[in-house]
């Protein structure tokens, strides 16, 4: 596996004479990336704290907070630890990394305390009133104890292994994010006290007590209660429930690796052996055992997170399976099926470009497109990139069938998609067995672009049908991620996508792009040019306007370009779901920049970019955020939209987000976020609800009302 020479060292530093003024010093120009991420997770927690949200959904938001924190600890906090201890070099000094770790741990401690307070004071009592109670050991009745003892003997005890710790049996390697019990033992026959460990079996955490009572116990509490069966001849004098989180990075030398697939597969086996970054301990755990654990794990006491409640709140994702009360959850979201006529998707796409807005419009049409292509005798070849797909992906299965039928199928599967490596390896091998040509990514770059090209022989020649999207080809996450998909038979787009695939799979110099901007080649420079063009318009007395919606802004060069545009008078609105290091509304720096974040039922994932361009607006959708990794270290793709009806649709979507007065939070210059609420007498306009309504109107458009646009080659140059 090699990287095309044309994709290596594709970016160059911004010339010093073009850099925006640095009058305001760097520390005052940007928010901390880590603290910005913490504030995003705080916004998620606010959804759990909101009593107007159905209680099962509030519990799920708590689970999302825990899941987000786990990944943050495994990735970013682990990286800071390596920087602080000299195991990793980078732009951040060891001293700065150590300071950031202290700041993050302090903020995390407050966040976790608030998370558990929301559970204990509000969500758990509400669930109990609705018929779902998780009872601690102190509240078990005699009948409960008898039921749970039987469950323990039949279901748990056979899977438990007591792990002694002594000079001949060293402290074991504990599973990453697994829950364990430490115990202190006194021999009944006399002798030295002992310490031991027991790993709680992973899986379903909720244990039903007496049928029909709505009373549940946690599996770790059941293990804690009946542990004495594992240590006959000893008396347990102390217990401590805990959970470790380890560094989740894979250490791969891509340049010297002869086979990336085998290298990653080998590294996956060692992922759970990384150093411990965090130790969560139940607040009622024995103090002496806590100190013993710290000593054995060799962990800084500052890395200990006391938890006043159940460990690992991700278990709350399963509440809905235990409490069959649909009225306590969000009502089902009906995804509109669009286009209605999909009997011949190629004829429909060739008639006119299509934009789909997921999940408001069903992702199933994309699945059906690939399935149709797999069996269509006129389809000669299918080329596709895959970053994250579902565990039983119908798209991958369709690609395999296409390959088995003799079609030329080329799939670039990104093996380095973090935490999806094992699944992607499995899909890569299954596609190879079916006869597909599989590329495992590129050395030094992640392929994050969402591309599908279907080559079909038709009466008037070869036609390329292309899919360009902002999200993954994942039929599961497409149900709750907002994303955009462009389906087109436009010749210029087809030429660009074909050229990009040739670069990814072989050795090919980049073309003069017609409708695409591609990272790490031209995407950064294109964004820079478009921003500067708006600044030029503003300085010339013409209105400069930028609206951009994406997931994260942590690239300082992009911030500086926006600051310079703001000083020139450009009106800038950013809709940034997650991290944002740019400081809005600062006099002399960013007075015309406004930043909002939308957090709600759906995870905002679509990326839309709009530049006023002096009255000739430029619209694009992309796979990339404004992050250094997206612009410099990944293969990303932006497609410029020229279809007037689709441009109007994108503008309408942006307008809905800009008018949100219920789910939107406004970023202040001090780094805080202020949630908007409807004014007295004002109608609530939650963007995601309004978008569902608007998508229904679009989906019901009659065929004769749809625009018919024949495609011609476009002028070159994005």
């Amino acid at each position: 596996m090699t990287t095309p020479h044309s994709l290596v060292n594709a970016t160059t530093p911004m010339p010093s004479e073009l850099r925006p003024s640095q009058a305001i010093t760097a520390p005052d120009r940007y928010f901390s990336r880590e603290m910005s991420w913490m504030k995003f997770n705080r916004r998620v927690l606010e959804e759990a704290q909101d009593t107007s949200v159905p209680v099962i959904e509030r519990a799920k938001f708590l689970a999302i907070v825990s899941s987000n924190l786990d990944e943050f600890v495994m990735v970013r906090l682990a990286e800071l630890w390596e920087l602080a201890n000299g195991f990793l070099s980078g732009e951040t000094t060891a001293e700065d990394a150590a300071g950031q770790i202290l700041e993050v741990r302090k903020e995390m401690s407050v966040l976790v305390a608030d998370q558990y307070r929301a559970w204990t004071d509000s969500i758990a009592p509400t669930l109990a009133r609705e018929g779902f109670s998780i009872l601690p050991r102190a509240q078990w009745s005699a009948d409960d104890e008898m039921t749970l003892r039987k469950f323990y003997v039949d279901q748990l005890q056979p899977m438990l292994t007591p792990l002694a710790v002594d000079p001949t049996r060293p402290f074991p390697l504990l599973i990453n994010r697994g829950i364990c019990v430490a115990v202190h033992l006194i021999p009944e026959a006399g002798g030295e006290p002992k310490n031991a460990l027991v790993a709680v079996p992973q899986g379903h955490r909720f244990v039903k007590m007496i049928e029909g009572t709505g009373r549940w116990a946690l599996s770790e509490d059941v293990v804690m209660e009946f542990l004495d069966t594992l240590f006959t001849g000893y008396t347990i004098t102390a217990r401590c429930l805990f959970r470790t989180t380890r560094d989740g990075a894979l250490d791969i030398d891509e340049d010297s690796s002869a086979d990336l697939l085998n290298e990653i597969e080998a590294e996956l086996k060692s992922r759970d052996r990384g150093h411990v970054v965090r130790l969560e301990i139940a607040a009622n755990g024995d103090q002496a055992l806590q100190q013993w654990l710290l000593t054995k794990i060799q962990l800084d006491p500052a890395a200990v997170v006391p938890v006043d409640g159940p460990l690992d709140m991700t278990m709350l994702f399963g509440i809905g399976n235990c409490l069959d009360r649909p009225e306590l959850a969000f009502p089902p979201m009906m995804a509109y099926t669009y286009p209605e006529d999909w009997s011949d998707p190629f004829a429909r796409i060739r008639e006119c470009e299509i934009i789909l807005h997921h999940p408001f419009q069903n992702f199933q049409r994309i699945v059906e497109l690939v399935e149709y292509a797999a069996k269509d005798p006129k389809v000669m070849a299918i080329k596709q990139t895959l970053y994250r797909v579902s565990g039983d992906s119908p798209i991958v299965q369709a690609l395999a069938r296409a390959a088995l039928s003799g079609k030329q199928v080329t799939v670039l599967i990104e093996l380095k998609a973090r935490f999806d490596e094992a699944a992607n390896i499995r899909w890569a091998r299954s596609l190879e067995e079916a006869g597909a040509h599989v590329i495992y990514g590129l050395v030094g770059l992640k392929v994050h672009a969402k591309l599908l090209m279907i080559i079909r022989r038709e009466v008037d020649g070869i036609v390329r049908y292309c899919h360009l999207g902002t999200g993954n080809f994942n039929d599961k996450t497409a149900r709750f991620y907002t994303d955009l998909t462009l389906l087109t038979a436009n010749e210029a787009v087809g030429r660009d996508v074909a050229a990009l695939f040739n670069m990814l799979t072989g050795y090919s110099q980049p073309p003069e792009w017609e409708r695409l901007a591609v990272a790490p080649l031209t995407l950064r420079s294109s964004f820079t040019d478009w921003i500067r063009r708006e600044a030029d318009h503003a300085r010339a007395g013409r209105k400069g306007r930028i609206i951009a919606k994406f997931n994260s802004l942590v690239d300082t060069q992009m911030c500086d370009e926006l600051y310079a545009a703001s000083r020139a008078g450009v009106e800038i609105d950013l809709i940034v779901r997650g991290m944002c290091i740019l400081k809005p509304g600062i006099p002399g720096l960013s007075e015309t920049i406004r930043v909002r974040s939308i957090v709600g039922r759906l995870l905002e994932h679509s990326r839309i970019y709009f530049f006023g361009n002096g009255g000739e607006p430029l619209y694009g959708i992309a796979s990339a955020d404004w992050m250094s990794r997206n612009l410099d270290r990944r293969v990303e793709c932006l497609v410029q939209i020229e279809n007037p009806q689709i441009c109007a649709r994108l503008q309408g979507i942006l307008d809905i987000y800009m008018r949100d007065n219920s789910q939107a939070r406004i970023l202040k210059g001090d780094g805080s976020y202020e949630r908007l609420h409807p004014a007295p007498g004002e109608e609530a306009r939650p963007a995601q609800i309004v978008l569902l309504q608007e998508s229904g109107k679009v989906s019901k458009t009659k065929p004769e009302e749809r625009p018919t646009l024949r495609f011609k080659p476009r002028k070159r140059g994005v």
Side-chain angles (χ1 to χ4, degrees), residues 8 24 55 82 167 179 235 307 310 315 320 498 561 578 615 632 661 668 682 697 701:
V8 178
I24 297 178
V55 67
E82 291 193 336
I179 296 175
T235 300
V307 173
M315 67 176 182
E561 292 293 344
D632 301 332
N661 61 359
K668 302 293 187 177
E682 183 183 18
K697 296 176 184 177
T701 302

Side-chain angles (χ1 to χ4, degrees), residues 357-655:
H357 195 188
H358 312 298
F360 314 109
Q361 292 169 319
N362 207 316
F363 186 79
Q364 184 61 25
R365 285 303 193 221
I366 308 302
V367 174
E368 292 168 354
L369 172 64
V370 181
E371 291 175 338
Y372 192 97
K375 63 184 180 182
D376 184 353
K378 294 182 181 180
V379 170
M380 304 162 59
I382 304 173
K383 300 183 180 183
Q384 188 163 7
T385 62
L386 295 178
Y387 192 75
R388 300 187 196 275
V389 293
S390 62
D392 55 350
S393 172
I395 285 180
V396 176
Q397 294 171 22
L399 292 172
R401 290 195 297 272
L404 286 169
S405 70
K407 300 184 190 301
Q408 184 184 24
V409 176
T410 303
V411 183
L412 194 151
I413 296 184
E414 182 49 73
L415 297 184
K416 295 168 287 184
R418 182 175 282 131
F419 304 124
D420 277 278
E421 300 95 343
N424 287 1
I425 287 173
R426 184 175 68 253
W427 285 126
R429 287 194 163 134
S430 68
L431 285 169
E432 282 185 324
E433 290 172 1
H437 180 58
V438 179
I439 310 297
Y440 299 140
L442 303 175
V443 172
L445 298 173
K446 282 187 180 182
V447 179
H448 194 246
K450 323 299 184 187
L451 302 171
L452 165 65
M453 183 170 68
I454 300 169
I455 297 94
R456 192 169 187 260
R457 186 184 298 279
E458 300 185 359
V459 175
D460 52 350
I462 300 297
V463 179
R464 301 184 184 99
Y465 294 89
C466 297
H467 165 298
L468 300 98
T470 67
N472 299 305
F473 292 97
N474 189 315
D475 55 298
K476 298 294 191 297
T477 59
R479 298 172 187 172
F480 54 91
Y481 279 34
T482 69
D483 272 306
L484 290 160
T485 292
L486 176 70
L487 299 173
T488 181
N490 179 271
E491 295 175 12
V493 174
R495 285 192 294 268
D496 278 356
V497 173
L500 181 51
F501 270 114
N502 289 342
M503 292 174 60
L504 295 174
T505 62
Y507 297 100
S508 177
Q509 291 299 313
E512 183 181 351
W513 304 103
E514 299 179 64
R515 292 276 296 279
L516 300 190
V518 176
L521 297 170
T522 62
L523 189 53
R524 179 186 287 279
S525 60
S526 293
F527 278 134
T528 299
D529 289 345
W530 294 331
I531 294 171
R532 292 179 181 178
R533 188 189 308 170
E534 295 306 310
D536 290 341
H537 284 306
R539 279 189 287 265
R542 299 182 294 272
K543 184 178 180 180
R545 188 75 172 104
I546 297 172
I547 308 175
K549 179 185 182 297
F550 48 90
N551 299 330
S552 295
L553 171 53
V554 295
D555 183 84
T556 57
Q557 289 187 33
M558 295 306 299
C559 289
D560 288 344
E561 292 293 344
L562 292 170
Y563 288 152
S566 177
R567 289 198 299 274
V570 179
E571 293 292 326
I572 302 171
D573 281 285
L574 306 177
I575 307 165
V576 188
R577 182 197 79 218
M579 296 180 290
C580 180
I581 65 170
L582 178 143
K583 293 187 174 184
I586 304 299
L589 182 69
S590 56
E591 293 176 69
T592 64
I593 303 179
R594 296 163 293 274
V595 179
R596 63 175 48 210
S597 171
I598 307 289
V599 177
R601 172 179 181 174
L602 304 174
L603 186 142
E604 291 296 333
H605 196 253
S606 56
R607 289 104 166 182
I608 309 172
Y609 297 95
F610 164 79
F611 300 88
N613 195 29
E616 298 182 5
L618 185 155
Y619 291 87
I621 65 171
S623 60
D625 298 319
W626 281 350
M627 303 177 70
S628 302
R629 71 183 188 187
N630 295 105
L631 301 174
D632 301 332
R633 300 191 298 277
R634 289 185 173 186
V635 177
E636 304 275 11
C637 178
L638 175 143
V639 57
Q640 184 175 338
I641 306 297
E642 296 185 350
N643 181 315
Q645 285 75 22
I646 294 180
C647 288
R649 176 93 183 279
L650 293 178
Q651 185 61 58
I653 291 171
L654 291 174
D655 289 344

Side-chain angles (χ1 to χ4, degrees), residues 660-699:
D660 187 310
N661 61 359
S662 303
Q663 295 175 315
R665 280 85 163 171
I666 304 301
L667 176 60
K668 302 293 187 177
D670 61 0
S672 63
Y673 281 81
E674 178 185 350
R675 184 166 187 170
L676 297 183
H677 297 281
E682 183 183 18
E683 182 183 4
R685 297 188 300 271
Q688 294 175 354
I689 301 301
V690 176
L691 285 167
L692 179 63
Q693 297 167 349
E694 293 298 315
S695 293
K697 296 176 184 177
V698 171
S699 300

Side-chain angles (χ1 to χ4, degrees), residues 70-131:
D70 281 353
E71 184 167 338
F72 178 79
V73 169
M74 292 172 64
V75 179
R76 186 55 183 164
L77 193 59
E79 182 180 327
L80 288 174
W81 184 90
E82 291 193 336
L83 287 166
N85 288 275
F87 297 113
L88 187 68
S89 59
E91 295 181 2
T92 303
T93 65
E95 183 178 2
D96 287 344
Q100 290 176 35
I101 289 174
L102 292 175
E103 189 178 23
V104 164
R105 284 174 175 167
K106 181 180 178 181
E107 184 67 21
M108 189 184 301
S109 176
V110 175
L111 182 70
V112 169
D114 290 344
Q115 178 192 16
Y116 277 87
R117 190 175 299 111
W119 167 253
T120 302
D121 295 349
S122 182
I123 297 175
T126 303
L127 286 169
R129 289 193 295 271
E130 300 294 348

